[in-house]
Amino acid sequence: MFDLESYWRAAGHHGWPSMMLCLFTGDGLPDYCAAMPRDPLPATGFPLGEDFLQVYAQAIAKNTAIHDGAIMVGRRDESELYRLEGWSYRLFPPDAVKTNGMNRGSAFNSCLAMSKVAKVDATYLVSGGRLVRFISGDVKHIEL
């Protein structure tokens, strides 16, 4: 199984653009997400793997607007590989996670809350050369 966190470290964390990823398991997308219209829409269906940054760069070259929103990465069951299911999704989960009054920004708060939604395995936020993983409302800053 592909290890996104090791890939982030090996690929050089400074080479990563800011992005949100939502990893999920099950038929169809999780609740509380919606595709933002993009034309042209880059291809999907690629397995999440060692060529992820190249696939992302090709998608950006096709339509620079896809950087806005979450990248949806799913699999039907735990025996399958994650595949890129969609670019540029708006996440609007219910406010189910206490943030102790801190506003860490909309991307951080969306990833945090979305991590508690059924079918969502994890969300990731890449920003400023940092990787943050969210699982079931727990936050972990991934170190080099």
Side-chain angles (χ1 to χ4, degrees):
M1 189 64 62
F2 179 69
D3 181 353
L4 180 68
E5 295 169 24
S6 293
Y7 177 63
W8 176 78
R9 289 181 188 105
H13 65 284
H14 293 297
W16 283 66
S18 295
M19 67 177 72
M20 295 187 301
L21 295 109
C22 180
L23 281 66
F24 64 93
T25 300
D27 288 328
L29 294 167
D31 291 335
Y32 311 112
C33 67
M36 291 186 270
R38 298 292 181 244
D39 186 22
L41 186 61
T44 58
F46 301 101
L48 183 62
E50 298 294 328
D51 62 346
F52 175 71
L53 287 177
Q54 290 88 0
V55 169
Y56 183 81
Q58 290 169 352
I60 288 288
K62 187 168 187 164
N63 186 339
T64 58
I66 66 105
H67 82 278
D68 187 26
I71 301 166
M72 304 302 289
V73 184
R75 60 188 181 179
R76 289 190 197 270
D77 61 55
E78 292 181 8
S79 68
E80 293 186 3
L81 296 175
Y82 284 105
R83 294 190 172 278
L84 198 135
E85 298 290 337
W87 301 103
S88 200
Y89 273 70
R90 187 171 64 91
L91 305 179
F92 51 94
D95 188 15
V97 181
K98 292 184 180 184
T99 58
N100 296 329
M102 294 179 61
N103 183 357
R104 304 276 306 267
S106 62
F108 184 96
N109 291 340
S110 291
C111 285
L112 178 62
M114 194 71 183
S115 75
K116 301 239 348 160
V117 169
K119 294 177 36 175
V120 173
D121 301 323
T123 56
Y124 286 91
L125 175 62
V126 178
S127 180
R130 299 180 119 158
L131 178 66
V132 183
R133 180 186 68 209
F134 306 83
I135 297 177
S136 299
D138 290 326
V139 179
K140 180 166 183 180
H141 296 267
I142 307 302
E143 302 297 328
L144 290 176

